[in-house]
């Protein structure tokens, strides 16, 4: 390959063909850390969040909190937030563009100040992603909700408890409602809520802050407090990172011990890993040993809300099934357009046909290195997995998508024996 220079973000160069071996620690969960960091807006007392992964979405969240007036200290994986002097309730314009999860500022800002102004998020590469359920909740909770000049304006004069049923199950919608109600006195009821482990981790934090919360199936009873307290909390391990590392291990025919995992959060993923050719066993407290059993079985996957198979693992399994012995079917029920990785995997020799929300994958014996583009976070992870098993070299462009949600994934894979290099911005390869 010839190296030339042009303007790109960082890239990864992956040399396929090594089996992953060794031990690796799974980082704290991104999707648990973000709502927990937003919970700090609710209180003037000091909050300490531990095992927060060092990644772009966390940095964006802390920048947002700082811009509102919070004092933030970020050392290693520990974040301290003191929002005692918070003086703004309008989330800066560009933060939502940089990170969709900024919409989680609505609930706690409205709860603390009785008002919030938050830029309206647009669609993103995985679909239109409306926030109608968030807004419907705030409206039924008695807030005035206006969308004007590209922002959502929320205000409430008297905070009161509410009974609300979501029309569909939404993770951040549930979190926004909980973040608001944790600061509202009286007994509220939320029905048809998301029960992802990340939502439950937020529930744990809100309890520490003084809210009384009971969860029964998809119903939450919450009694908020007018004076939420500070807290110390260690976030749960990232189940999607764990799943991604498991797929990478199985697909390369390797054997890896994953530390800092909660197997109980991984039920549907473990089932599919075992169905597809992995063997998984407990290896001590919070630790799993994963290895390939030498088979590459095709399967059917349908993404569902937790405890079903997570949409955030769909792309990684699609990469794995590209090499299965037969035909697989993957149905994406959560997001409208989450198959962008398929075009890139096809460049590597995968045989996948997408029709609407369904992908039919005819397993091939080999795939080959190519120059491919990341389109979103989990799509990037699927390309890394494909690169690990492809013949030859794969160049993955736009890895900032990967860095938004995985803490040093390339370094972790390297420690497990993968041949993977990070190329700085401005360098690209051609003539291969
Ligand atoms: N939806 C609506 N209206 C709403 C809210 C959601 O129609 O008001 C729809 C969405 O368009 C989607 C479905 O409901 O079709 C589920 O979306 P949800 O609201 O549950 O997704 P989210 O809260 O925006 C979180 C994670 C995603 C993860 C999904 C599903 C965070 C910060 N993000 O998104 O994580 O895929 O739940 O589990 O927690 C990722 O980490 O790569 C990622 C995209």
């Amino acid at each position: 390959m010839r190296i030339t220079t042009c303007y790109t973000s960082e890239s990864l160069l992956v040399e396929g063909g090594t089996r992953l071996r060794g031990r690796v620690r799974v980082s704290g969960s991104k999707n648990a850390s973000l709502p927990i960091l937003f919970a700090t807006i609710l209180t003037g007392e000091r909050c300490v969040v531990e095992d927060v992964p060092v990644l772009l979405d966390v940095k964006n969240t802390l920048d947002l909190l700082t811009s509102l007036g919070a004092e933030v200290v970020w050392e290693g994986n520990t974040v301290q937030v003191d929002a005692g002097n918070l003086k703004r309730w309008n989330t800066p314009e560009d933060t939502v563009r940089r990170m969709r999860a900024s919409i989680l500022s609505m609930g706690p800002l409205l709860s603390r100040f009785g008002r919030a102004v938050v830029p309206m998020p647009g669609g993103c590469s995985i679909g239109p992603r409306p926030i109608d359920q968030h807004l419907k909740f705030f409206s039924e909770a008695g807030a005035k909700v206006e969308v004007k000049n590209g922002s959502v304006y929320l205000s409430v004069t008297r905070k009161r408890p509410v009974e609300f049923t979501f029309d569909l199950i939404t993770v951040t919608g549930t979190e926004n409602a909980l973040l608001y109600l944790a600061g509202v006195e009286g007994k509220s009821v939320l029905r048809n809520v998301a029960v992802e482990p990340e939502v439950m981790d937020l529930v744990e934090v809100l309890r520490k802050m003084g809210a009384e919360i009971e969860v029964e199936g998809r119903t939450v009873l919450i009694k908020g407090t007018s004076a939420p307290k500070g807290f110390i909390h260690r976030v749960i391990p990232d189940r999607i990172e764990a799943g991604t590392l498991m797929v990478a291990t199985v697909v390369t025919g390797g054997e890896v011990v994953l530390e800092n995992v909660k197997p109980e959060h991984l039920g549907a993923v473990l089932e599919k890993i075992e169905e597809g050719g992995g063997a998984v066993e407990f290896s001590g407290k919070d630790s799993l040993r994963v290895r390939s059993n030498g088979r590459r079985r095709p399967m059917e996957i349908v993404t569902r809300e937790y405890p079903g198979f997570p949409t955030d693992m769909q792309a990684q399994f699609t990469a794995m099934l590209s090499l299965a012995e037969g035909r697989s079917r993957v149905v994406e029920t959560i997001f409208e357009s989450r198959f962008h990785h398929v075009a890139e995997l096809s460049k590597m020799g995968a045989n996948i046909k997408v029709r609407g929300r369904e992908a039919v994958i005819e397993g091939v014996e080999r795939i080959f290195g190519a120059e491919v583009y990341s389109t979103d976070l989990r799509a990037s992870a699927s390309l890394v997995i494909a690169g690990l098993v492809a013949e030859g070299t794969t160049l993955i462009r736009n890895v900032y998508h990967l860095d938004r949600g995985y803490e040093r994934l390339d370094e972790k894979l390297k420690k497990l024996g993968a041949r993977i290099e990070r190329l700085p911005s401005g360098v690209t390869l051609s003539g291969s």
Side-chain angles (χ1 to χ4, degrees):
M1 273 192 190
R2 194 154 53 84
I3 296 186
T4 56
T5 303
C6 75
Y7 291 102
T8 60
S9 82
E10 290 184 340
S11 307
L12 288 180
L13 197 59
V14 188
E15 193 71 47
T18 26
R19 292 168 191 256
L20 298 187
R21 288 196 188 282
R23 302 179 82 85
V24 63
R25 184 183 183 277
V26 173
S27 298
S29 158
K30 164 182 89 87
N31 287 348
S33 297
L34 302 182
I36 290 171
L37 291 171
F38 282 105
T40 64
I41 293 175
L42 288 166
T43 177
E45 294 183 17
R46 198 171 70 112
C47 303
V48 181
V49 193
E50 296 171 342
D51 212 17
V52 177
V54 177
L55 37 85
L56 213 52
D57 275 4
V58 168
K59 180 181 180 302
N60 286 334
T61 304
L62 299 182
D63 285 350
L64 189 159
L65 294 174
T66 307
S67 75
L68 295 174
E71 281 172 34
V72 173
V73 180
W74 187 12
E75 276 171 352
N77 292 105
T78 301
V79 175
Q80 285 184 40
V81 183
D82 182 341
N85 291 322
L86 215 65
K87 39 191 177 296
R88 291 182 53 186
W89 51 82
N90 42 342
T91 299
E93 191 70 52
D94 62 321
T95 52
V96 174
R97 221 178 324 113
R98 276 192 280 154
M99 186 190 60
R100 206 194 141 71
S102 309
I103 54 172
L104 287 170
S105 57
M106 286 181 193
L109 283 175
L110 185 65
S111 204
R112 177 141 173 201
F113 293 111
R115 51 167 109 179
V117 181
V118 179
M120 186 79 178
C124 75
S125 63
I126 60 176
R129 303 183 76 177
I131 57 162
D132 56 298
Q133 294 301 305
H134 303 232
L135 302 188
K136 188 172 174 194
F137 162 77
F138 289 123
S139 176
E140 291 200 16
K144 189 171 155 204
V145 180
E146 282 181 292
V147 180
K148 54 182 184 192
N149 310 324
S151 289
V152 183
Y153 289 73
L154 298 164
S155 59
V156 65
T157 38
R158 197 181 60 84
K159 291 195 288 180
R160 56 166 171 78
V162 63
E163 284 205 18
F164 180 75
T165 303
F166 288 96
D167 296 333
L168 52 82
I169 297 168
T170 155
V171 172
T172 47
T174 302
E175 290 166 349
N176 239 338
L178 290 170
L179 285 163
Y180 175 69
L181 292 173
V184 178
E185 285 184 309
K187 196 167 184 174
S188 293
V189 183
L190 296 174
R191 297 196 181 84
N192 201 27
V193 297
V195 291
E196 268 65 4
E198 296 76 21
V199 179
M200 293 305 119
D201 211 26
L202 174 66
V203 163
E204 252 339 281
V205 166
L206 297 176
R207 282 182 179 139
K208 288 180 182 176
M209 297 183 86
E212 288 172 36
I213 306 177
E214 284 167 46
V215 183
E216 291 162 9
R218 290 204 180 274
T219 301
V220 171
L221 311 174
I222 172 165
K223 226 159 117 186
T225 162
S226 59
K229 296 184 290 213
F231 62 87
I232 299 179
H233 187 76
R234 170 170 288 261
V235 296
I236 54 171
D238 198 309
R239 65 192 167 104
I240 305 301
E241 187 197 324
T244 303
L245 289 165
M246 280 185 204
V247 172
T249 303
V250 172
V251 89
T252 61
E255 179 164 347
V256 168
V257 174
L258 299 175
E259 292 164 359
N260 195 37
V261 279
K262 292 246 171 278
E264 65 271 28
H265 294 165
L266 281 160
V269 172
L270 290 179
E271 254 175 50
K272 289 296 177 189
I273 285 280
E274 290 187 329
E275 191 181 331
V280 185
E281 59 194 47
F282 291 101
S283 164
K285 193 177 174 294
D286 292 344
S287 171
L288 286 180
R289 178 183 299 274
V290 189
R291 63 183 166 77
S292 154
N293 67 15
R295 300 295 305 274
R296 293 172 162 193
R297 290 211 183 82
M299 66 175 85
E300 171 149 337
I301 288 178
V302 182
T303 63
R304 298 267 184 231
E305 296 87 1
Y306 189 84
F309 184 90
T311 172
D312 291 345
M313 283 302 302
Q314 180 260 104
Q316 301 89 317
F317 269 78
T318 300
M320 177 169 102
L321 296 174
S322 300
L323 289 153
E325 297 150 348
R327 176 183 296 178
S328 300
R329 195 168 151 263
V330 174
V331 183
E332 172 59 59
T333 72
I334 306 294
F335 288 112
E336 245 178 74
S337 125
R338 210 177 194 181
F339 280 123
H340 292 299
H341 44 287
V342 165
E344 303 306 301
L345 292 172
S346 301
K347 287 185 196 165
M348 301 176 73
N351 181 357
I352 309 173
K353 292 210 167 42
V354 175
R355 202 176 303 138
R357 291 190 173 209
E358 184 181 312
V360 176
I361 308 165
E362 299 291 348
V364 293
E365 255 177 53
R366 298 181 299 167
I367 56 172
F368 304 91
E371 187 164 342
V372 289
Y373 287 79
S374 302
T375 47
D376 69 77
L377 169 55
R378 308 304 170 187
S380 317
S382 80
L383 299 178
V384 173
I385 288 166
L388 289 174
V389 76
E391 283 183 20
T393 308
T394 300
L395 175 67
I396 305 167
R397 291 272 195 84
N398 297 346
V399 290
Y400 64 87
H401 286 294
L402 190 77
D403 298 337
R404 271 193 39 230
Y406 287 94
E407 190 178 42
R408 305 185 315 271
L409 186 67
D410 45 327
E411 285 176 34
K412 288 186 183 187
L413 291 170
K414 220 170 173 166
K415 274 195 202 136
L416 295 174
R419 284 174 291 169
I420 182 164
E421 290 302 328
R422 187 171 278 257
L423 303 181
S425 319
V427 173
T428 186
L429 304 181
S430 63
S432 56

